[in-house]
Amino acid sequence: MSPKRTPKIAIALGSGAARGWSHIGVIRELKSLGIEPDIVAGSSIGALVGAAYAADQLERLEHWTRELDWRGILKYLDPTLRGGGLIQGEKLTDLVAQYVEDFHFEVLPRQLGVVATELETGREVWFREGPVMEAVRASIGLPGLFTPISREGRWLVDGGLSNPVPVSLCRAMGADLVIAVNLNGDILGRHFRRVDRRNMSEDEGAEGEALWDRLTGQLKDTLSSRKDMLFSRLLGKGRDNPGLYEVLASSINIMQDRITRSRMAGDPPDIILTPRLSQIGLMEFDRAAQAIEEGRQAVKRMLPALEVLLERS
């Protein structure tokens, strides 16, 4: 009689922009329980965290995220009027390179899969070989914000458009048990609200406007005076109606919520972890400590189910 095979455990790390730092807390807490997935698949921000984990660089990434503030975020923005997005992403690519270096999928300590979306057809694209950095950059191409990238004659954008929580990729990579991390469980309505600046300190107000000033200021410098006025109205700054960023963020939240529900119903994981992250906005990458802690709490809330998983493995 052959010995019983140990089941392969996979983790599917979902999309969700700044909320994705909670993946770090999830992975940390799972490890404390003795669960270290053999397979990791990621979409969008989940691809970035998943790549760092697969390359044994998660500790470095966590340290960087905890030190990040608004001024640090601005260093990684390279605004553009061309290429289908507000940010080129070259500086962000340089950032990714710090944590996945020149690794190729084939030499990583753990199996890694990354999801992107083909812009022309809407099909999901799976990366499982070649340079990890290129795959991650394709997967985090948030529509309207980051410019898409071209690979092998195809324009690729954010993996969250087609497969926000890539359970199916985990199964295709040979997983027996899949833990899914869904960042989109309670996000609707987060951005479609007015900010009460009366209760903000002067420093908080200044830093809160920094992203705006960085994006719009550099873009406006390239426009004529008439176009400048039109662009300001388009963005909606200082007006009662929602601006471009607010509409974009809310639309992405709606889209990811609906797609996630559909995909998870068709290909359910063995366990779903749902960090409560509605208080963290799309681009609030400076709130890593809060997101990471909520990732840990999401694991603790599912401890009974995880104990059953440990028994099965």
Side-chain angles (χ1 to χ4, degrees):
M1 183 176 178
S2 59
K4 182 180 178 181
R5 184 177 69 88
T6 301
K8 284 189 176 183
I9 299 177
I11 187 166
L13 303 178
S15 61
R19 296 182 291 269
W21 296 148
S22 63
H23 290 316
I24 298 173
V26 167
I27 294 170
R28 291 290 196 202
E29 192 64 25
L30 287 175
K31 184 177 180 179
S32 73
L33 297 175
I35 302 175
E36 297 189 61
D38 311 288
I39 297 168
V40 55
S43 185
S44 194
I45 188 67
L48 172 57
V49 177
Y53 171 63
D56 285 335
Q57 300 295 316
L58 190 65
E59 185 174 348
R60 288 184 59 205
L61 179 63
E62 180 178 358
H63 177 76
W64 176 80
T65 63
R66 288 183 179 274
E67 296 294 323
L68 189 62
D69 58 17
W70 266 107
R71 294 176 180 85
I73 293 171
L74 297 180
K75 293 193 301 185
Y76 297 101
L77 301 183
D78 42 7
T80 180
L81 282 173
R82 299 174 296 175
L86 294 175
I87 300 171
Q88 286 179 289
E90 292 181 5
K91 292 183 179 180
L92 193 62
T93 301
D94 293 339
L95 165 65
V96 174
Q98 295 180 35
Y99 303 103
V100 299
E101 300 178 359
D102 293 324
F103 291 125
H104 282 55
F105 284 81
E106 296 85 351
V107 299
L108 292 173
R110 297 176 180 83
Q111 284 184 262
L112 173 67
V114 170
V115 179
T117 303
E118 187 176 0
L119 185 59
E120 183 177 1
T121 65
R123 296 172 180 167
E124 61 184 285
V125 177
W126 291 354
F127 289 91
R128 294 185 57 191
E129 58 185 24
V132 173
M133 185 177 67
E134 292 185 7
V136 172
R137 172 59 183 89
S139 186
I140 62 177
L142 196 65
L145 192 60
F146 293 104
T147 57
I149 67 168
S150 179
R151 290 293 180 272
E152 299 180 357
R154 298 181 296 183
W155 286 102
L156 302 177
V157 292
D158 198 287
L161 285 175
S162 56
N163 197 350
V165 186
V167 175
S168 57
L169 178 52
C170 289
R171 302 285 189 200
M173 294 169 66
D176 299 304
L177 301 171
V178 179
I179 301 170
V181 187
N182 176 21
L183 306 180
N184 304 314
D186 63 345
I187 58 176
L188 295 187
R190 167 60 178 84
H191 286 278
F192 204 74
R193 60 176 175 79
R194 311 317 305 174
V195 177
D196 185 0
R197 298 195 177 278
R198 292 173 298 179
N199 296 324
M200 294 176 65
S201 69
E202 184 176 345
D203 289 341
E204 288 174 331
E207 291 191 8
E209 293 293 335
L211 175 60
W212 176 273
D213 293 338
R214 172 77 173 184
L215 288 175
T216 62
Q218 292 191 24
L219 290 172
K220 287 180 180 181
D221 288 344
T222 67
L223 300 173
S224 66
S225 59
R226 291 185 180 179
K227 289 182 180 179
D228 180 55
M229 183 181 299
L230 177 62
F231 194 70
S232 296
R233 291 179 178 175
L234 175 65
L235 291 173
K237 187 178 182 183
R239 298 169 65 89
D240 292 333
N241 57 297
L244 175 61
Y245 171 75
E246 192 171 23
V247 172
L248 177 64
S250 293
S251 299
I252 290 172
N253 284 346
I254 293 169
M255 174 198 69
Q256 291 192 337
D257 176 68
R258 297 297 183 257
I259 297 173
T260 299
R261 291 172 186 266
S262 176
R263 293 299 301 255
M264 298 271 272
D267 195 356
D270 296 278
I271 290 180
I272 302 175
L273 302 177
T274 309
R276 296 167 183 169
L277 300 163
S278 62
Q279 74 281 8
I280 297 179
L282 192 73
M283 294 291 288
E284 293 178 323
F285 290 99
D286 57 323
R287 300 178 67 180
Q290 185 177 356
I292 291 170
E293 176 57 28
E294 176 52 29
R296 287 184 175 274
Q297 294 303 318
V299 173
K300 292 177 179 179
R301 287 193 293 270
M302 291 297 292
L303 187 57
L306 288 165
E307 289 175 344
V308 173
L309 180 69
L310 285 171
E311 294 175 359
R312 292 170 59 185
S313 62

